[in-house]
Amino acid sequence: MPRTTRFGLALLPVLLAACGSGDDGVLVDACVKQGGDRTYCSCRADSLVADTSDSDRELLVKMTRMQMDENIGAEEAQEKLFKEEGPARLMAFQFALMAPLMKAEEKCR
């Protein structure tokens, strides 16, 4: 995997830590599993779901589910998605989630 892609993918676990039913429920459960307070996790998940495109939200949920269902770490999930989605898609995904993630953090803390 190219060095710049590895660096970019290193930030994805932060996105997962950021995060009921449906997509937001998966993000809330993952956040709580990583030690977050349910109220905080719900707020962040709601904010992320509201402020991301459908395709980015689908990829975030896919990665989160992969980690939870397969009981794997972020790096392994990233490697799998790197092979499935390609480096350009994952880099675009990472950059697309930066602003919504910062907005969610400000809103929910």
Side-chain angles (χ1 to χ4, degrees), residues 74-92:
E75 276 193 39
E76 192 173 344
Q78 292 166 12
E79 289 291 329
K80 287 183 174 195
L81 288 177
F82 179 85
K83 291 175 185 173
E84 290 177 20
E85 302 288 335
R89 173 66 181 115
L90 289 181
M91 291 300 287

Side-chain angles (χ1 to χ4, degrees), residues 11-107:
L11 295 177
L12 286 175
V14 174
L15 298 174
L16 292 175
C19 318
S21 62
D23 293 348
D24 56 342
V26 172
L27 301 177
V28 170
D29 291 345
C31 177
V32 169
K33 184 177 179 181
Q34 293 178 351
D37 173 80
R38 184 156 293 276
T39 302
Y40 165 75
C41 292
S42 294
C43 177
R44 272 182 78 148
D46 290 344
S47 184
L48 283 172
V49 167
D51 293 333
T52 56
S53 69
D54 290 343
S55 63
D56 289 332
R57 184 172 46 260
E58 287 173 13
L59 190 55
L60 178 60
V61 170
K62 179 179 179 179
M63 186 174 178
T64 303
R65 279 195 174 125
M66 185 184 296
Q67 284 190 271
M68 291 175 58
D69 293 347
E70 298 178 24
N71 198 28
I72 59 175
E75 276 193 39
E76 192 173 344
Q78 292 166 12
E79 289 291 329
K80 287 183 174 195
L81 288 177
F82 179 85
K83 291 175 185 173
E84 290 177 20
E85 302 288 335
R89 173 66 181 115
L90 289 181
M91 291 300 287
F93 165 71
Q94 174 188 342
F95 288 116
L97 286 179
M98 284 184 181
L101 180 63
M102 290 177 9
K103 181 180 174 183
E105 183 66 24
E106 288 176 10
K107 177 182 176 183

